[in-house]
Amino acid sequence: MQSRSYTNLLELASGNFPVMGREREKRRLPRIMTVPGSITELDDEQASSVASDNPSSLSMDRMIIVANQLPLKAKRRPDNKGWSFTWDDDSLLLRLKDGFPDDMEVLYVGSLSVDVDPIEQDDVAQVLLDRFGCVPTFLPPNLMEKYYDGFCKKQLWPLFHYMLPFSADHGGRFDRSMWEAYVAANKLFSQKVIEVINPEDDFVWIHDYHLMVLPTFLRRRFNRLRMGFFLHSPFPSSEIYRTLPVREEILKALLNSDLIGFHTFDYARHFLSCCSRMFGLEYQSKRGYIGLDYYGRTVGIKIMPVGIHMGQIESVMKLADKEWRVEELKQQFEGKTVLLGVDDMDVFKGINLKLLAMEQMLKLHPSWQGRAVLVQIANPARGKGGIDLDEIQVEIQESCKRINDEFGKPGYQPIVYIDTPLGVGERVAYYSIAECVVVTAVRDGMNLTPYEYIVCRHGISGSEADSDLGGPKKSMLVVSEFIGCSPSLSGAIRVNPWNVEATAEAMNEAISMSDPEKQLRHEKHYRYVSTHDVAYWSRSFLQDMERTCADHFRKRCWGIGLGFGFRVVSLDPNFRKLSIDAIVSAYIKAKNRAILLDYDGTVMPQNSIIKTPSREVISIINRLSGDANNTVFIVSGRGRESLSRAFSPCRKLGIAAEHGYFMRRSQDAEWETCGQSTDFGWMQMAEPVMKLYTESTDGSSIETKESALVWQYRDADPGFGFAQAKEMLDHLESVLANEPVAVKSGQYIVEVKPQEASKGLVAEKIFTSMAEKGKQADFVLCIGDDRSDEDMFEIIGNAISRNMLSVNTAVFACTVGQKPSKAKYYLDDTSEVILMLENLAEATDTPVTSDDENDGSP
């Protein structure tokens, strides 16, 4: 019997979730996708994936915009027969196309704001596709309740606004059934996208926290799909985000996007911090672009606040002008200075903090009593959410009554509170007459109220309202430092809304400021808002998506992992898995072989507690190094004493210790040093610096080698350790600027070593030595797993052109793990390395026949 809990997320990710709502026979929309393959439930079999290598019949790019709601208004016809649909002019999604090329087709995928009867859904879907280019996702009511009102509004939304569920009625405790509904809803959205997509030609742009696991569903189906995601809400600090029980699933899903957008650097920084702390991913900034390397794919990070649609605001202003609403409000507030607040009714907007600040301003500056009015417009709450608003509304009403009772008089009320829905024209009229807009949200995404206010105060050239405003255009803003648009409004007075006294002083400063100063600030803001509109935002996002996805069809891609652990590995087309048969064949034919092996992470597992090689490894290396045709070296960063002890049974094995500073060709040979200098006086300069950082970085330590100093911070806090390592690198480079040493950073280490010590130089010495003895290598195997081994791979790549190796040399440069590398081959882990070496050892033990000797000879 199947469990009713459906806790197996693999099943959910594979499409095996319960059918919620009435069962009905479902007729699909006409397919627009032109690649072969049938639409089936998403599963774990890669064979059922639609390959994006197939040619498409369309050559023109198309944008598919996916959001929780379509940019449509829907209402039942008067005769109750069918539906009437119109564009929602207030929807941001509708305006995105203004930034796209004129010939780019735009499709919208999302749900409707109304519940359509299952019997009507097919007809409605066809009408919306034909007339509006919209593909509706019909969510059963019980699924919608758990997905949107449940997981989105009771768990994600409070958490992303820094509200932790300390008690059942304070935010929402994690409910796995709501998470399963969220996954199920995201899967339904993915099916609608799959129905209409051309994977080679289309871009997919996913919007907001409602659809954060959608990228995984789409990436599983189309490895090379060009896909972006933009988060319209804040992204919380890692300490807050990491309290989410499904934190890894969501983060991994987002990383299946090609470009992830945020309003501010703070939000992006929090996301990057989560990637660093949870997955060890570090971002890189290159030519102004931020990117995360994720299994060979570069996931771009876009930071740009969204803008407004200038044309729509101006058209609404003309309408308000014609209706004389602006004039009515001017008469109503004649002789008064109007401060305005426009907020949705929710706990994070800080409406009561604004009222308290107004009360404080009137107390501290009595001259404004009878003259200053705060008009607070409270829009209805969006969705049910998980927070009871009754208590907040009561608190607001009590504050309004108290302030009006204390400071009001006949013909004057300091607080005008409007909690009835206002049309956009009415709101624009209030913007036009307000001297200052005050936003005191304690946490908010991209609040566009200040942008709208600035445009409305600027007016429209030639309109009556514009002439009524007269003189220079001016506007003032008091904004919370915790909202998304705050960084872009450099002329605004920024406040901490929790500090009521400081907010009161800021409000006083704003309305007391001289007109020339107000004018200068307004002009600065208007230049920004008018040039960074929604079209600029969407155009910039599309350009960055194109840039980030430029290599999609050049690289080889394949998916690995199950459920939400799925990700795409993207590698250079010349990078492939090392074939044991191929290398054994080349090994047998060769006469002079060079074999260079790293130690940790190559023949010894990186995280193994036991740091000595197994009997199996010793036996294999003994057999390889015992062949007179082989030159075998262990090339490691470890010290020569520990390597000598570990490989004491291997008499013919060469060892290059401390990245090649010490080198011994066999156990009977003397140790050589790579450089002429034996002066390590620089250690006395570097060690005090490292000790300074060790004392201040808990979990770090210093390893002293004969030729090098290593500071490691593997056990330290990842973020702090990385910051300290970066600072130490600069510090050491400055202190040791005139010393013959190199300061390098690696995985959780900073190392200072002689300039002449590198694994690349070890490889060069070995090849040169073999050539000088008349035994130029005709077979080279080099295996390593970390950044220091890339020096060897680079030397080997250039060895033929530098005449160290002949053009007929069989070269096998191999890294451990599927990751970007200068090597041409990879093996998955140390067990595969040992298996491959064992096959070579067996070939060594096998007598070579005359046929084998002649096979492939010139």
Side-chain angles (χ1 to χ4, degrees):
M1 181 177 174
Q2 187 178 17
S3 168
R4 297 287 295 172
S5 68
Y6 296 98
T7 54
N8 187 340
L9 292 182
L10 175 58
E11 288 190 1
L12 284 171
S14 302
N16 301 326
F17 51 82
V19 177
M20 302 192 184
R22 261 183 280 176
E23 296 200 7
R24 62 187 179 89
E25 188 177 341
K26 188 173 179 182
R27 179 167 61 85
R28 296 281 187 185
L29 286 172
R31 284 186 62 81
I32 299 176
M33 184 165 68
T34 58
V35 299
S38 60
I39 297 185
T40 59
E41 295 295 340
L42 216 60
D43 54 38
D44 290 317
E45 296 298 328
Q46 289 302 304
S48 70
S49 294
V50 179
S52 35
D53 294 327
N54 295 306
S56 168
S57 61
L58 295 179
S59 59
M60 184 173 60
D61 288 339
R62 184 174 62 169
M63 175 65 77
I64 299 176
I65 295 171
V66 194
N68 178 53
Q69 273 202 1
L70 291 169
L72 294 172
K73 291 180 179 178
K75 62 179 180 181
R76 200 73 180 166
R77 287 179 180 161
D79 57 4
N80 208 33
K81 294 179 180 178
W83 294 87
S84 173
F85 296 95
T86 56
W87 288 116
D88 180 2
D89 290 330
D90 293 337
S91 172
L92 177 73
L93 300 178
L94 185 60
R95 306 299 173 184
L96 297 182
K97 59 187 177 185
D98 295 346
F100 301 151
D102 294 337
D103 60 349
M104 177 174 270
E105 182 187 354
V106 178
L107 277 181
Y108 297 94
V109 177
S111 64
L112 290 166
S113 57
V114 293
D115 186 21
V116 178
D117 193 281
I119 299 172
E120 302 175 295
Q121 287 179 4
D122 284 340
D123 294 332
V124 167
Q126 198 61 54
V127 167
L128 293 183
L129 181 64
D130 294 340
R131 290 182 52 197
F132 296 95
C134 290
V135 181
T137 304
F138 298 107
L139 301 176
N142 57 336
L143 175 63
M144 184 70 172
E145 182 180 356
K146 283 193 167 186
Y147 148 69
Y148 183 74
D149 295 325
F151 193 75
C152 289
K153 285 297 181 183
K154 290 183 179 178
Q155 295 179 2
L156 285 182
W157 188 76
L159 186 80
F160 279 26
H161 289 76
Y162 289 72
M163 178 177 281
L164 292 173
F166 292 117
S167 62
D169 57 350
H170 185 81
R173 288 281 171 84
F174 179 77
D175 183 333
R176 188 157 292 276
S177 69
M178 290 182 182
W179 161 243
E180 291 164 1
Y182 182 82
V183 173
N186 273 248
K187 177 161 178 53
L188 288 178
F189 279 95
S190 77
Q191 290 172 341
K192 291 302 177 182
V193 174
I194 291 169
E195 287 182 7
V196 296
I197 198 168
N198 293 295
E200 264 197 357
D201 301 316
D202 291 348
F203 291 92
V204 176
W205 189 357
I206 302 165
H207 288 265
D208 223 2
Y209 62 92
H210 316 92
L211 301 172
M212 288 199 294
V213 299
L214 178 57
T216 287
F217 285 112
L218 296 178
R219 187 64 71 194
R220 284 165 62 90
R221 201 62 182 264
F222 310 110
N223 288 348
R224 292 187 173 91
L225 181 63
R226 297 177 293 184
M227 178 166 48
F229 178 91
F230 195 91
L231 183 66
H232 292 265
S233 78
F235 193 93
S237 67
S238 66
E239 289 78 8
I240 298 293
Y241 178 79
R242 285 185 288 132
T243 63
L244 186 65
V246 288
R247 59 191 188 177
E248 289 193 9
E249 290 89 332
I250 289 177
L251 208 60
K252 286 177 179 177
L254 288 177
L255 288 169
N256 275 318
S257 304
D258 294 301
L259 184 66
I260 305 173
F262 301 92
H263 286 307
T264 72
F265 178 68
D266 272 352
Y267 303 160
R269 180 166 53 84
H270 295 157
F271 173 80
L272 294 169
S273 176
C274 288
C275 292
S276 173
R277 289 176 176 274
M278 291 168 58
F279 304 140
L281 301 176
E282 298 298 342
Y283 73 89
Q284 290 184 328
S285 183
K286 187 176 181 181
R287 296 183 180 177
Y289 297 108
I290 298 174
L292 281 168
D293 184 78
Y294 189 59
Y295 292 92
R297 291 173 50 245
T298 299
V299 180
I301 304 298
K302 176 75 173 173
I303 302 166
M304 177 170 283
V306 69
I308 60 172
H309 188 263
M310 296 289 292
Q312 186 215 4
I313 298 291
E314 290 175 351
S315 64
V316 172
M317 288 171 64
K318 289 177 183 176
L319 183 63
D321 190 20
K322 287 180 182 176
E323 293 176 352
W324 295 94
R325 186 62 182 131
V326 176
E327 195 58 40
E328 289 175 11
L329 291 176
K330 283 184 177 180
Q331 291 176 6
Q332 179 183 343
F333 294 105
E334 187 176 3
K336 306 292 189 298
T337 298
V338 177
L339 298 96
L340 178 66
V342 181
D343 303 280
D344 294 338
M345 175 53 71
D346 76 50
V347 67
F348 301 113
K349 299 302 183 191
I351 294 175
N352 199 55
L353 292 174
K354 190 185 307 178
L355 299 176
L356 296 177
M358 181 67 179
E359 179 181 31
Q360 191 73 9
M361 187 189 82
L362 295 176
K363 286 179 179 177
L364 295 174
H365 304 279
S367 60
W368 288 115
Q369 296 177 19
R371 295 168 53 213
V373 176
L374 173 63
V375 177
Q376 176 61 53
I377 299 171
N379 300 318
R382 299 185 190 182
K384 297 175 186 176
I387 300 161
D388 187 4
L389 294 176
D390 292 342
E391 185 178 338
I392 298 166
Q393 289 172 327
V394 168
E395 187 180 14
I396 291 171
Q397 296 285 2
E398 288 176 353
S399 294
C400 289
K401 184 177 185 304
R402 184 184 69 253
I403 296 168
N404 284 335
D405 287 348
E406 182 176 354
F407 299 104
K409 52 188 176 183
Y412 170 71
Q413 279 195 324
I415 307 293
V416 177
Y417 183 64
I418 303 170
D419 58 357
T420 54
L422 291 184
V424 64
E426 191 94 353
R427 193 171 76 239
V428 163
Y430 274 102
Y431 283 145
S432 299
I433 59 102
E435 191 71 18
C436 175
V437 154
V438 185
V439 182
T440 54
V442 295
R443 188 70 59 182
D444 207 353
M446 193 58 199
N447 191 317
L448 293 176
T449 295
Y451 286 9
E452 294 175 352
Y453 167 65
I454 290 161
V455 175
C456 292
R457 286 291 286 179
H458 197 79
I460 310 168
S461 298
S463 70
E464 291 184 31
D466 185 54
S467 60
D468 288 344
L469 283 171
K473 319 294 184 186
K474 53 184 171 44
S475 61
M476 278 306 299
L477 291 167
V478 174
V479 299
S480 164
E481 62 189 64
F482 304 120
I483 65 174
C485 66
S486 175
S488 63
L489 298 170
S490 55
I493 301 174
R494 297 191 186 99
V495 295
N496 172 5
W498 297 104
N499 188 336
V500 172
E501 291 79 7
T503 305
E505 289 297 342
M507 291 164 67
N508 173 65
E509 180 186 354
I511 55 180
S512 303
M513 196 174 287
S514 66
D515 284 352
E517 178 70 14
K518 291 179 182 178
Q519 180 188 356
L520 287 172
R521 291 176 184 242
H522 170 82
E523 287 174 353
K524 184 177 186 180
H525 288 158
Y526 185 77
R527 276 196 305 273
Y528 176 84
V529 172
S530 59
T531 54
H532 291 71
D533 60 357
V534 68
Y536 178 90
W537 176 69
S538 62
R539 181 165 55 252
S540 178
F541 195 89
L542 175 60
Q543 288 170 351
D544 276 18
M545 218 192 312
E546 287 177 325
R547 178 185 52 78
T548 306
C549 301
D551 286 341
H552 270 23
F553 296 96
R554 186 187 67 81
K555 291 187 173 183
R556 291 186 306 120
C557 301
W558 65 91
I560 59 173
L562 301 174
F564 285 111
F566 177 86
R567 64 271 189 200
V568 168
V569 177
S570 178
L571 298 171
D572 189 276
N574 296 321
F575 188 66
R576 56 191 181 275
K577 188 160 187 174
L578 183 60
S579 164
I580 291 180
D581 290 341
I583 193 171
V584 168
S585 175
Y587 180 90
I588 291 171
K589 295 173 187 176
K591 300 298 181 185
N592 299 298
R593 311 179 189 106
I595 300 174
L596 283 65
L597 305 173
D598 177 37
Y599 183 61
D600 292 295
T602 301
V603 296
M604 173 63 64
Q606 187 71 260
N607 298 320
S608 174
I609 297 175
I610 301 170
K611 291 301 181 183
T612 55
S614 64
R615 289 183 180 179
E616 180 190 16
V617 170
I618 292 293
S619 172
I620 291 170
I621 291 179
N622 240 336
R623 287 149 67 193
L624 287 173
S625 58
D627 188 327
N629 294 329
N630 292 350
T631 301
V632 183
F633 267 82
I634 291 290
V635 186
S636 174
R638 283 179 171 267
R640 55 179 171 173
E641 293 301 325
S642 64
L643 290 173
S644 294
R645 282 195 304 272
F647 291 99
S648 57
C650 305
R651 303 191 62 82
K652 299 292 185 181
L653 176 67
I655 294 177
E658 300 192 16
H659 299 293
Y661 184 81
F662 296 108
M663 192 167 166
R664 188 180 71 184
R665 298 180 185 275
S666 69
Q667 204 171 102
D668 299 329
E670 294 294 323
W671 285 102
E672 306 169 18
T673 56
C674 68
Q676 299 298 320
S677 173
T678 55
D679 179 13
F680 293 100
W682 54 265
M683 283 191 174
Q684 296 173 4
M685 301 166 65
E687 194 169 19
V689 175
M690 286 189 171
K691 282 183 176 177
L692 184 69
Y693 286 87
T694 304
E695 289 169 3
S696 60
T697 311
D698 190 33
S700 67
S701 61
I702 301 171
E703 180 186 357
T704 304
K705 299 180 181 179
E706 288 184 73
S707 69
L709 285 175
V710 182
W711 185 77
Q712 70 87 13
Y713 58 97
R714 188 177 298 277
D715 298 325
D717 176 272
F720 183 56
F722 180 75
Q724 291 287 81
K726 196 173 180 182
E727 180 68 25
M728 180 194 285
L729 194 72
D730 292 339
H731 195 162
L732 288 171
E733 284 178 343
S734 174
V735 170
L736 303 172
N738 298 319
E739 299 297 322
V741 294
V743 184
K744 291 191 174 183
S745 62
Q747 193 169 20
Y748 300 110
I749 65 163
V750 174
E751 184 171 24
V752 184
K753 61 181 182 180
Q755 287 175 344
E756 56 266 31
S758 90
K759 290 186 178 183
L761 292 175
V762 171
E764 193 173 320
K765 277 187 177 182
I766 292 169
F767 298 152
T768 304
S769 173
M770 290 177 71
E772 288 173 352
K773 293 176 182 177
K775 294 184 176 183
Q776 188 176 52
D778 54 3
F779 173 94
V780 174
L781 170 62
C782 175
I783 312 179
D785 76 308
D786 65 17
R787 192 179 299 177
S788 63
D789 299 307
E790 296 295 316
D791 293 338
M792 283 197 293
F793 301 148
E794 186 174 12
I795 288 292
I796 290 171
N798 300 327
I800 293 174
S801 62
R802 294 175 58 188
N803 297 321
M804 286 188 288
L805 299 175
S806 75
V807 291
N808 297 319
T809 303
V811 177
F812 298 92
C814 178
T815 188
V816 181
Q818 300 176 28
K819 57 181 181 286
S821 173
K822 292 172 183 174
K824 297 295 184 186
Y825 300 95
Y826 73 89
L827 290 171
D828 286 324
D829 50 36
T830 56
S831 62
E832 287 197 354
V833 173
I834 293 168
L835 176 63
M836 183 270 298
L837 292 175
E838 186 175 15
N839 277 267
L840 296 186
E842 287 175 2
T844 297
D845 300 337
T846 304
V848 179
T849 67
S850 58
D851 289 339
D852 292 328
E853 289 180 350
N854 295 330
D855 184 27
S857 300

